[in-house]
Amino acid sequence: MPVPKSVRWHDGRLWLLDQRALPDVVSEIELHDAGEVAVAIRDLVVRGAPAIGIAAAYGMALAWRAGEDLDSAAKTLLAARPTAVNLAWAVRRMLAVGANGGDLVEEARTIHAEDAAMCRAIGRHGGHLIAPDANLLTHCNAGALAVSELGTATAPMYLAHERGVPFHVFVDETRPVLQGARLTAWELGAAGIDCTLICDGAAAHLMGLGQVDLVIVGTDRVTANGDVVNKIGTRALAIAAKWHDVPFYVACPASTFDSATPTGADVAIEERGAEELTASIPVPAQVRVRNPAFDVTPAELVTGYITDRGLFDDATGFDQGGV
């Protein structure tokens, strides 16, 4: 059973899969302007760096079609979430096309199609890393729900599964919003891929037992030096993988590479509301809460980057052309 598309443009109308309600409720929300798209991005109706970029592109297209000021629409969208570089990349690309008199609806559709091709290329370039009967581990959701199709971290898994390669995936639950438990486990299970849900703190334990052969995660941004900005908990996972000599790969399209930002220390890390932690846990009223949504994994902890342009052992590969 294939999972629904995270972003759908049909007959000139934009629909987003409401990922807040998954997996219990599968429903779409129709959005009518850039402001509504910005709210949907901020509130996690749509999430995952590539999917956010696609949604923002359609938000700009809606503004253009309505004759609205594109700079104002861009400002609204860029303010929705600060960390995922694909958001800014897509909005600036749409602004450039608009400044040159181009058709923004067609450009958004092009970005959407390019993302699907990128996902397949990532799957091709990373598929050979999955050996028969390997145990993989992934964090958060870098799957089909975070992009146009197949995912980034999961693209090699889906294509290996299509080829009949037997393997197993440990899925971190990914506190506090549980994207691993709610989304990744759901979509991998729906695809017939053998997977086991674990709590975030169990990953290092399983590595110590020799039960993890390979870690593949996605990312919201790769800085110029190769630092990886991804869902909170990724840094701890990378440290554990390094200690236990487990390969740690990051899968992402080239559009996630941010050459203008020198290191991860230069990235604004989004802090989200305390209610994401406290909604299901009794917490004394006097206790303060911090909820950083992302962390920075230093480049030296990354074994390699699986991109649509190839498999590279450092960030210089992002500048190489061609798929």
Side-chain angles (χ1 to χ4, degrees):
M1 180 189 72
V3 299
K5 300 292 186 182
S6 57
V7 182
R8 188 167 64 90
W9 179 269
H10 181 68
D11 288 341
R13 300 163 68 186
L14 176 63
W15 301 84
L16 297 182
L17 178 68
D18 189 351
Q19 299 195 30
R20 301 168 300 181
L22 295 174
D24 296 328
V25 178
V26 179
S27 63
E28 289 183 319
I29 299 174
E30 183 179 4
L31 304 180
H32 305 89
D33 55 46
E36 289 185 354
V37 174
V39 171
I41 291 170
R42 184 194 67 205
D43 291 350
L44 304 184
V45 172
V46 61
R47 25 80 38 215
I52 289 172
I54 296 167
Y58 282 122
M60 291 291 290
L62 289 171
W64 172 78
R65 194 174 61 182
E68 298 172 3
D69 181 69
L70 291 182
D71 288 330
S72 178
K75 183 177 179 180
T76 298
L77 287 162
L78 289 171
R81 295 195 72 182
T83 306
V85 73
N86 295 67
L87 172 59
W89 170 84
V91 168
R92 289 169 185 152
R93 175 168 164 177
M94 296 295 282
L95 278 173
V97 171
N100 290 318
D103 185 324
L104 266 64
V105 171
E106 286 306 308
E107 188 66 15
R109 290 168 64 92
T110 297
I111 289 173
H112 201 165
E114 287 175 355
D115 186 80
M118 287 176 184
C119 291
R120 290 218 159 255
I122 289 169
R124 292 196 306 270
H125 292 308
H128 71 280
L129 298 172
I130 302 176
D133 300 317
N135 282 305
L136 282 62
L137 190 147
T138 192
H139 188 69
C140 196
N141 177 256
L145 293 167
V147 294
S148 54
E149 63 176 46
L150 291 181
T152 54
T154 59
M157 303 177 199
Y158 281 121
L159 295 189
H161 181 66
E162 285 182 6
R163 297 195 308 272
V165 177
F167 62 92
H168 167 261
V169 184
F170 287 112
V171 180
D172 277 353
E173 61 178 350
T174 319
R175 291 278 305 156
V177 189
L178 301 175
Q179 295 100 322
R182 294 187 304 107
L183 305 179
T184 303
W186 177 57
E187 66 168 83
L188 291 180
I193 294 176
D194 184 24
C195 62
T196 301
L197 179 67
I198 61 173
C199 70
D200 293 354
H205 170 68
L206 295 178
M207 292 180 192
L209 295 176
Q211 294 180 5
V212 178
D213 302 303
L214 174 67
V215 177
I216 308 179
V217 299
T219 183
D220 289 78
R221 185 184 303 219
V222 178
T223 57
N225 71 328
D227 288 350
V228 171
V229 184
N230 194 45
K231 181 56 59 183
I232 192 74
T234 303
R235 182 186 181 112
L237 190 61
I239 292 169
K242 188 76 169 181
W243 176 265
H244 294 99
D245 200 26
V246 174
F248 181 91
Y249 283 91
V250 176
C252 61
S255 58
T256 304
F257 179 58
D258 179 11
S259 60
T261 302
T263 74
D266 301 301
V267 177
I269 298 297
E270 176 184 355
E271 295 246 1
R272 297 186 61 81
E275 68 278 0
E276 290 184 350
L277 277 78
T278 61
S280 60
I281 302 172
V283 177
Q286 70 273 21
V287 174
R288 293 190 299 272
V289 174
R290 285 197 64 184
N291 183 21
F294 302 92
D295 59 26
V296 177
T297 298
E300 55 264 33
L301 297 179
V302 178
T303 305
Y305 305 84
I306 311 169
T307 81
D308 51 304
R309 297 178 179 178
L311 177 63
F312 305 106
D313 58 9
D314 60 52
T316 60
F318 284 93
D319 291 325
Q320 298 188 22
V323 173

PDB file of all heavy atoms in Angstrom, residues 201-235:
ATOM      1  N   GLY A 201      16.954   6.286  22.769  1.00  0.00           N
ATOM      2  CA  GLY A 201      18.081   5.921  23.617  1.00  0.00           C
ATOM      3  C   GLY A 201      18.581   4.507  23.426  1.00  0.00           C
ATOM      4  O   GLY A 201      19.620   4.144  23.990  1.00  0.00           O
ATOM      5  N   ALA A 202      17.876   3.682  22.638  1.00  0.00           N
ATOM      6  CA  ALA A 202      18.288   2.289  22.437  1.00  0.00           C
ATOM      7  C   ALA A 202      19.313   2.117  21.329  1.00  0.00           C
ATOM      8  O   ALA A 202      19.936   1.055  21.211  1.00  0.00           O
ATOM      9  CB  ALA A 202      17.065   1.417  22.142  1.00  0.00           C
ATOM     10  N   ALA A 203      19.503   3.132  20.495  1.00  0.00           N
ATOM     11  CA  ALA A 203      20.355   2.975  19.309  1.00  0.00           C
ATOM     12  C   ALA A 203      21.786   2.582  19.679  1.00  0.00           C
ATOM     13  O   ALA A 203      22.348   1.636  19.103  1.00  0.00           O
ATOM     14  CB  ALA A 203      20.350   4.266  18.498  1.00  0.00           C
ATOM     15  N   ALA A 204      22.400   3.300  20.631  1.00  0.00           N
ATOM     16  CA  ALA A 204      23.783   2.992  21.003  1.00  0.00           C
ATOM     17  C   ALA A 204      23.886   1.595  21.601  1.00  0.00           C
ATOM     18  O   ALA A 204      24.878   0.881  21.390  1.00  0.00           O
ATOM     19  CB  ALA A 204      24.308   4.038  21.989  1.00  0.00           C
ATOM     20  N   HIS A 205      22.877   1.191  22.360  1.00  0.00           N
ATOM     21  CA  HIS A 205      22.864  -0.155  22.944  1.00  0.00           C
ATOM     22  C   HIS A 205      22.900  -1.216  21.858  1.00  0.00           C
ATOM     23  O   HIS A 205      23.686  -2.182  21.928  1.00  0.00           O
ATOM     24  CB  HIS A 205      21.615  -0.312  23.815  1.00  0.00           C
ATOM     25  CG  HIS A 205      21.364  -1.705  24.278  1.00  0.00           C
ATOM     26  ND1 HIS A 205      22.184  -2.342  25.183  1.00  0.00           N
ATOM     27  CD2 HIS A 205      20.384  -2.599  23.955  1.00  0.00           C
ATOM     28  CE1 HIS A 205      21.723  -3.574  25.410  1.00  0.00           C
ATOM     29  NE2 HIS A 205      20.638  -3.749  24.664  1.00  0.00           N
ATOM     30  N   LEU A 206      22.078  -1.046  20.835  1.00  0.00           N
ATOM     31  CA  LEU A 206      22.043  -2.031  19.748  1.00  0.00           C
ATOM     32  C   LEU A 206      23.350  -2.033  18.969  1.00  0.00           C
ATOM     33  O   LEU A 206      23.811  -3.090  18.516  1.00  0.00           O
ATOM     34  CB  LEU A 206      20.870  -1.738  18.824  1.00  0.00           C
ATOM     35  CG  LEU A 206      19.476  -1.892  19.441  1.00  0.00           C
ATOM     36  CD1 LEU A 206      18.400  -1.519  18.442  1.00  0.00           C
ATOM     37  CD2 LEU A 206      19.265  -3.308  19.954  1.00  0.00           C
ATOM     38  N   MET A 207      23.961  -0.854  18.793  1.00  0.00           N
ATOM     39  CA  MET A 207      25.285  -0.813  18.159  1.00  0.00           C
ATOM     40  C   MET A 207      26.299  -1.586  18.981  1.00  0.00           C
ATOM     41  O   MET A 207      27.140  -2.315  18.431  1.00  0.00           O
ATOM     42  CB  MET A 207      25.733   0.636  17.980  1.00  0.00           C
ATOM     43  CG  MET A 207      24.933   1.424  16.966  1.00  0.00           C
ATOM     44  SD  MET A 207      25.553   3.127  16.840  1.00  0.00           S
ATOM     45  CE  MET A 207      24.227   3.898  15.895  1.00  0.00           C
ATOM     46  N   GLY A 208      26.234  -1.426  20.288  1.00  0.00           N
ATOM     47  CA  GLY A 208      27.160  -2.140  21.161  1.00  0.00           C
ATOM     48  C   GLY A 208      26.997  -3.642  21.086  1.00  0.00           C
ATOM     49  O   GLY A 208      27.961  -4.392  21.306  1.00  0.00           O
ATOM     50  N   LEU A 209      25.796  -4.090  20.769  1.00  0.00           N
ATOM     51  CA  LEU A 209      25.543  -5.520  20.608  1.00  0.00           C
ATOM     52  C   LEU A 209      25.927  -6.027  19.220  1.00  0.00           C
ATOM     53  O   LEU A 209      25.792  -7.221  18.940  1.00  0.00           O
ATOM     54  CB  LEU A 209      24.060  -5.815  20.864  1.00  0.00           C
ATOM     55  CG  LEU A 209      23.543  -5.569  22.284  1.00  0.00           C
ATOM     56  CD1 LEU A 209      22.038  -5.815  22.342  1.00  0.00           C
ATOM     57  CD2 LEU A 209      24.273  -6.462  23.286  1.00  0.00           C
ATOM     58  N   GLY A 210      26.381  -5.112  18.360  1.00  0.00           N
ATOM     59  CA  GLY A 210      26.745  -5.506  17.000  1.00  0.00           C
ATOM     60  C   GLY A 210      25.552  -5.740  16.099  1.00  0.00           C
ATOM     61  O   GLY A 210      25.666  -6.431  15.075  1.00  0.00           O
ATOM     62  N   GLN A 211      24.412  -5.129  16.429  1.00  0.00           N
ATOM     63  CA  GLN A 211      23.184  -5.388  15.686  1.00  0.00           C
ATOM     64  C   GLN A 211      22.830  -4.300  14.671  1.00  0.00           C
ATOM     65  O   GLN A 211      21.767  -4.346  14.062  1.00  0.00           O
ATOM     66  CB  GLN A 211      22.029  -5.576  16.678  1.00  0.00           C
ATOM     67  CG  GLN A 211      22.185  -6.814  17.539  1.00  0.00           C
ATOM     68  CD  GLN A 211      21.044  -7.009  18.525  1.00  0.00           C
ATOM     69  OE1 GLN A 211      20.059  -6.273  18.519  1.00  0.00           O
ATOM     70  NE2 GLN A 211      21.181  -8.013  19.381  1.00  0.00           N
ATOM     71  N   VAL A 212      23.724  -3.320  14.506  1.00  0.00           N
ATOM     72  CA  VAL A 212      23.508  -2.264  13.512  1.00  0.00           C
ATOM     73  C   VAL A 212      24.699  -2.235  12.563  1.00  0.00           C
ATOM     74  O   VAL A 212      25.841  -2.075  12.997  1.00  0.00           O
ATOM     75  CB  VAL A 212      23.327  -0.884  14.174  1.00  0.00           C
ATOM     76  CG1 VAL A 212      23.151   0.200  13.110  1.00  0.00           C
ATOM     77  CG2 VAL A 212      22.138  -0.888  15.133  1.00  0.00           C
ATOM     78  N   ASP A 213      24.446  -2.400  11.281  1.00  0.00           N
ATOM     79  CA  ASP A 213      25.513  -2.420  10.273  1.00  0.00           C
ATOM     80  C   ASP A 213      25.692  -1.086   9.568  1.00  0.00           C
ATOM     81  O   ASP A 213      26.768  -0.806   9.028  1.00  0.00           O
ATOM     82  CB  ASP A 213      25.209  -3.495   9.217  1.00  0.00           C
ATOM     83  CG  ASP A 213      25.064  -4.875   9.823  1.00  0.00           C
ATOM     84  OD1 ASP A 213      26.011  -5.329  10.487  1.00  0.00           O
ATOM     85  OD2 ASP A 213      23.991  -5.483   9.644  1.00  0.00           O
ATOM     86  N   LEU A 214      24.651  -0.255   9.551  1.00  0.00           N
ATOM     87  CA  LEU A 214      24.679   0.943   8.731  1.00  0.00           C
ATOM     88  C   LEU A 214      23.628   1.923   9.239  1.00  0.00           C
ATOM     89  O   LEU A 214      22.500   1.526   9.546  1.00  0.00           O
ATOM     90  CB  LEU A 214      24.376   0.569   7.277  1.00  0.00           C
ATOM     91  CG  LEU A 214      24.212   1.670   6.232  1.00  0.00           C
ATOM     92  CD1 LEU A 214      25.530   2.387   6.003  1.00  0.00           C
ATOM     93  CD2 LEU A 214      23.690   1.088   4.918  1.00  0.00           C
ATOM     94  N   VAL A 215      24.004   3.200   9.336  1.00  0.00           N
ATOM     95  CA  VAL A 215      23.054   4.262   9.670  1.00  0.00           C
ATOM     96  C   VAL A 215      22.904   5.168   8.448  1.00  0.00           C
ATOM     97  O   VAL A 215      23.898   5.589   7.853  1.00  0.00           O
ATOM     98  CB  VAL A 215      23.535   5.100  10.874  1.00  0.00           C
ATOM     99  CG1 VAL A 215      22.552   6.242  11.148  1.00  0.00           C
ATOM    100  CG2 VAL A 215      23.706   4.229  12.110  1.00  0.00           C
ATOM    101  N   ILE A 216      21.655   5.448   8.075  1.00  0.00           N
ATOM    102  CA  ILE A 216      21.387   6.419   7.015  1.00  0.00           C
ATOM    103  C   ILE A 216      20.346   7.395   7.545  1.00  0.00           C
ATOM    104  O   ILE A 216      19.263   6.985   7.982  1.00  0.00           O
ATOM    105  CB  ILE A 216      20.859   5.779   5.718  1.00  0.00           C
ATOM    106  CG1 ILE A 216      21.757   4.648   5.234  1.00  0.00           C
ATOM    107  CG2 ILE A 216      20.730   6.842   4.627  1.00  0.00           C
ATOM    108  CD1 ILE A 216      21.260   3.966   3.954  1.00  0.00           C
ATOM    109  N   VAL A 217      20.671   8.685   7.513  1.00  0.00           N
ATOM    110  CA  VAL A 217      19.736   9.725   7.932  1.00  0.00           C
ATOM    111  C   VAL A 217      19.595  10.746   6.805  1.00  0.00           C
ATOM    112  O   VAL A 217      20.404  10.784   5.876  1.00  0.00           O
ATOM    113  CB  VAL A 217      20.210  10.435   9.219  1.00  0.00           C
ATOM    114  CG1 VAL A 217      20.328   9.444  10.364  1.00  0.00           C
ATOM    115  CG2 VAL A 217      21.532  11.173   8.995  1.00  0.00           C
ATOM    116  N   GLY A 218      18.603  11.579   6.899  1.00  0.00           N
ATOM    117  CA  GLY A 218      18.467  12.714   5.988  1.00  0.00           C
ATOM    118  C   GLY A 218      19.065  13.951   6.626  1.00  0.00           C
ATOM    119  O   GLY A 218      19.763  13.873   7.642  1.00  0.00           O
ATOM    120  N   THR A 219      18.787  15.103   6.058  1.00  0.00           N
ATOM    121  CA  THR A 219      19.261  16.350   6.643  1.00  0.00           C
ATOM    122  C   THR A 219      18.456  17.521   6.097  1.00  0.00           C
ATOM    123  O   THR A 219      17.934  17.469   4.980  1.00  0.00           O
ATOM    124  CB  THR A 219      20.756  16.579   6.373  1.00  0.00           C
ATOM    125  OG1 THR A 219      21.182  17.781   7.020  1.00  0.00           O
ATOM    126  CG2 THR A 219      21.055  16.683   4.888  1.00  0.00           C
ATOM    127  N   ASP A 220      18.375  18.571   6.897  1.00  0.00           N
ATOM    128  CA  ASP A 220      17.721  19.801   6.464  1.00  0.00           C
ATOM    129  C   ASP A 220      18.712  20.797   5.889  1.00  0.00           C
ATOM    130  O   ASP A 220      18.319  21.750   5.212  1.00  0.00           O
ATOM    131  CB  ASP A 220      16.983  20.439   7.644  1.00  0.00           C
ATOM    132  CG  ASP A 220      15.761  19.640   8.025  1.00  0.00           C
ATOM    133  OD1 ASP A 220      15.904  18.599   8.690  1.00  0.00           O
ATOM    134  OD2 ASP A 220      14.653  20.051   7.653  1.00  0.00           O
ATOM    135  N   ARG A 221      20.007  20.598   6.175  1.00  0.00           N
ATOM    136  CA  ARG A 221      21.021  21.501   5.641  1.00  0.00           C
ATOM    137  C   ARG A 221      22.392  20.857   5.814  1.00  0.00           C
ATOM    138  O   ARG A 221      22.684  20.246   6.836  1.00  0.00           O
ATOM    139  CB  ARG A 221      20.983  22.843   6.381  1.00  0.00           C
ATOM    140  CG  ARG A 221      21.930  23.886   5.811  1.00  0.00           C
ATOM    141  CD  ARG A 221      21.929  25.174   6.652  1.00  0.00           C
ATOM    142  NE  ARG A 221      20.600  25.775   6.779  1.00  0.00           N
ATOM    143  CZ  ARG A 221      20.371  27.080   6.744  1.00  0.00           C
ATOM    144  NH1 ARG A 221      21.362  27.931   6.557  1.00  0.00           N
ATOM    145  NH2 ARG A 221      19.155  27.553   6.891  1.00  0.00           N
ATOM    146  N   VAL A 222      23.242  21.008   4.794  1.00  0.00           N
ATOM    147  CA  VAL A 222      24.660  20.674   4.896  1.00  0.00           C
ATOM    148  C   VAL A 222      25.437  21.953   4.631  1.00  0.00           C
ATOM    149  O   VAL A 222      25.283  22.576   3.578  1.00  0.00           O
ATOM    150  CB  VAL A 222      25.080  19.583   3.891  1.00  0.00           C
ATOM    151  CG1 VAL A 222      26.574  19.301   3.993  1.00  0.00           C
ATOM    152  CG2 VAL A 222      24.284  18.302   4.113  1.00  0.00           C
ATOM    153  N   THR A 223      26.234  22.384   5.596  1.00  0.00           N
ATOM    154  CA  THR A 223      26.972  23.638   5.444  1.00  0.00           C
ATOM    155  C   THR A 223      28.231  23.433   4.611  1.00  0.00           C
ATOM    156  O   THR A 223      28.588  22.306   4.257  1.00  0.00           O
ATOM    157  CB  THR A 223      27.323  24.222   6.820  1.00  0.00           C
ATOM    158  OG1 THR A 223      28.075  23.259   7.571  1.00  0.00           O
ATOM    159  CG2 THR A 223      26.059  24.584   7.586  1.00  0.00           C
ATOM    160  N   ALA A 224      28.909  24.522   4.317  1.00  0.00           N
ATOM    161  CA  ALA A 224      30.028  24.486   3.379  1.00  0.00           C
ATOM    162  C   ALA A 224      31.128  23.518   3.807  1.00  0.00           C
ATOM    163  O   ALA A 224      31.802  22.914   2.966  1.00  0.00           O
ATOM    164  CB  ALA A 224      30.611  25.887   3.204  1.00  0.00           C
ATOM    165  N   ASN A 225      31.315  23.348   5.107  1.00  0.00           N
ATOM    166  CA  ASN A 225      32.375  22.452   5.593  1.00  0.00           C
ATOM    167  C   ASN A 225      31.901  21.017   5.770  1.00  0.00           C
ATOM    168  O   ASN A 225      32.669  20.154   6.194  1.00  0.00           O
ATOM    169  CB  ASN A 225      32.935  22.962   6.922  1.00  0.00           C
ATOM    170  CG  ASN A 225      31.955  22.785   8.067  1.00  0.00           C
ATOM    171  OD1 ASN A 225      30.741  22.851   7.870  1.00  0.00           O
ATOM    172  ND2 ASN A 225      32.478  22.581   9.270  1.00  0.00           N
ATOM    173  N   GLY A 226      30.633  20.746   5.468  1.00  0.00           N
ATOM    174  CA  GLY A 226      30.108  19.387   5.574  1.00  0.00           C
ATOM    175  C   GLY A 226      29.358  19.088   6.850  1.00  0.00           C
ATOM    176  O   GLY A 226      28.886  17.953   7.034  1.00  0.00           O
ATOM    177  N   ASP A 227      29.216  20.059   7.747  1.00  0.00           N
ATOM    178  CA  ASP A 227      28.397  19.843   8.939  1.00  0.00           C
ATOM    179  C   ASP A 227      26.951  19.589   8.534  1.00  0.00           C
ATOM    180  O   ASP A 227      26.452  20.163   7.554  1.00  0.00           O
ATOM    181  CB  ASP A 227      28.450  21.057   9.869  1.00  0.00           C
ATOM    182  CG  ASP A 227      29.783  21.219  10.576  1.00  0.00           C
ATOM    183  OD1 ASP A 227      30.617  20.290  10.501  1.00  0.00           O
ATOM    184  OD2 ASP A 227      29.997  22.270  11.199  1.00  0.00           O
ATOM    185  N   VAL A 228      26.296  18.755   9.316  1.00  0.00           N
ATOM    186  CA  VAL A 228      24.943  18.304   8.983  1.00  0.00           C
ATOM    187  C   VAL A 228      23.958  18.809  10.037  1.00  0.00           C
ATOM    188  O   VAL A 228      24.118  18.543  11.228  1.00  0.00           O
ATOM    189  CB  VAL A 228      24.894  16.763   8.918  1.00  0.00           C
ATOM    190  CG1 VAL A 228      23.463  16.263   8.796  1.00  0.00           C
ATOM    191  CG2 VAL A 228      25.747  16.266   7.752  1.00  0.00           C
ATOM    192  N   VAL A 229      22.952  19.555   9.585  1.00  0.00           N
ATOM    193  CA  VAL A 229      21.905  20.048  10.474  1.00  0.00           C
ATOM    194  C   VAL A 229      20.670  19.190  10.247  1.00  0.00           C
ATOM    195  O   VAL A 229      20.067  19.225   9.173  1.00  0.00           O
ATOM    196  CB  VAL A 229      21.602  21.534  10.207  1.00  0.00           C
ATOM    197  CG1 VAL A 229      20.589  22.053  11.214  1.00  0.00           C
ATOM    198  CG2 VAL A 229      22.883  22.365  10.255  1.00  0.00           C
ATOM    199  N   ASN A 230      20.327  18.422  11.253  1.00  0.00           N
ATOM    200  CA  ASN A 230      19.211  17.480  11.100  1.00  0.00           C
ATOM    201  C   ASN A 230      18.432  17.393  12.409  1.00  0.00           C
ATOM    202  O   ASN A 230      18.767  18.039  13.400  1.00  0.00           O
ATOM    203  CB  ASN A 230      19.741  16.101  10.684  1.00  0.00           C
ATOM    204  CG  ASN A 230      18.634  15.177  10.193  1.00  0.00           C
ATOM    205  OD1 ASN A 230      17.774  15.590   9.406  1.00  0.00           O
ATOM    206  ND2 ASN A 230      18.626  13.953  10.662  1.00  0.00           N
ATOM    207  N   LYS A 231      17.398  16.594  12.403  1.00  0.00           N
ATOM    208  CA  LYS A 231      16.514  16.455  13.560  1.00  0.00           C
ATOM    209  C   LYS A 231      17.299  16.187  14.834  1.00  0.00           C
ATOM    210  O   LYS A 231      18.273  15.426  14.832  1.00  0.00           O
ATOM    211  CB  LYS A 231      15.532  15.309  13.308  1.00  0.00           C
ATOM    212  CG  LYS A 231      14.536  15.063  14.421  1.00  0.00           C
ATOM    213  CD  LYS A 231      13.726  16.293  14.773  1.00  0.00           C
ATOM    214  CE  LYS A 231      12.932  16.833  13.612  1.00  0.00           C
ATOM    215  NZ  LYS A 231      12.208  18.076  13.937  1.00  0.00           N
ATOM    216  N   ILE A 232      16.869  16.806  15.925  1.00  0.00           N
ATOM    217  CA  ILE A 232      17.521  16.641  17.207  1.00  0.00           C
ATOM    218  C   ILE A 232      17.693  15.147  17.526  1.00  0.00           C
ATOM    219  O   ILE A 232      16.783  14.346  17.311  1.00  0.00           O
ATOM    220  CB  ILE A 232      16.720  17.357  18.323  1.00  0.00           C
ATOM    221  CG1 ILE A 232      17.522  17.458  19.611  1.00  0.00           C
ATOM    222  CG2 ILE A 232      15.359  16.716  18.526  1.00  0.00           C
ATOM    223  CD1 ILE A 232      18.615  18.479  19.553  1.00  0.00           C
ATOM    224  N   GLY A 233      18.873  14.795  17.986  1.00  0.00           N
ATOM    225  CA  GLY A 233      19.198  13.404  18.241  1.00  0.00           C
ATOM    226  C   GLY A 233      20.156  12.818  17.217  1.00  0.00           C
ATOM    227  O   GLY A 233      20.769  11.772  17.458  1.00  0.00           O
ATOM    228  N   THR A 234      20.301  13.495  16.083  1.00  0.00           N
ATOM    229  CA  THR A 234      21.194  12.996  15.032  1.00  0.00           C
ATOM    230  C   THR A 234      22.648  13.041  15.480  1.00  0.00           C
ATOM    231  O   THR A 234      23.423  12.108  15.223  1.00  0.00           O
ATOM    232  CB  THR A 234      21.015  13.807  13.739  1.00  0.00           C
ATOM    233  OG1 THR A 234      19.645  13.760  13.335  1.00  0.00           O
ATOM    234  CG2 THR A 234      21.883  13.260  12.616  1.00  0.00           C
ATOM    235  N   ARG A 235      23.054  14.111  16.164  1.00  0.00           N
ATOM    236  CA  ARG A 235      24.439  14.241  16.624  1.00  0.00           C
ATOM    237  C   ARG A 235      24.805  13.096  17.565  1.00  0.00           C
ATOM    238  O   ARG A 235      25.873  12.477  17.415  1.00  0.00           O
ATOM    239  CB  ARG A 235      24.623  15.592  17.309  1.00  0.00           C
ATOM    240  CG  ARG A 235      26.049  15.862  17.784  1.00  0.00           C
ATOM    241  CD  ARG A 235      26.122  17.154  18.585  1.00  0.00           C
ATOM    242  NE  ARG A 235      27.476  17.444  19.021  1.00  0.00           N
ATOM    243  CZ  ARG A 235      28.214  18.460  18.578  1.00  0.00           C
ATOM    244  NH1 ARG A 235      27.717  19.277  17.652  1.00  0.00           N
ATOM    245  NH2 ARG A 235      29.424  18.668  19.036  1.00  0.00           N
TER     246      ARG A 235
END
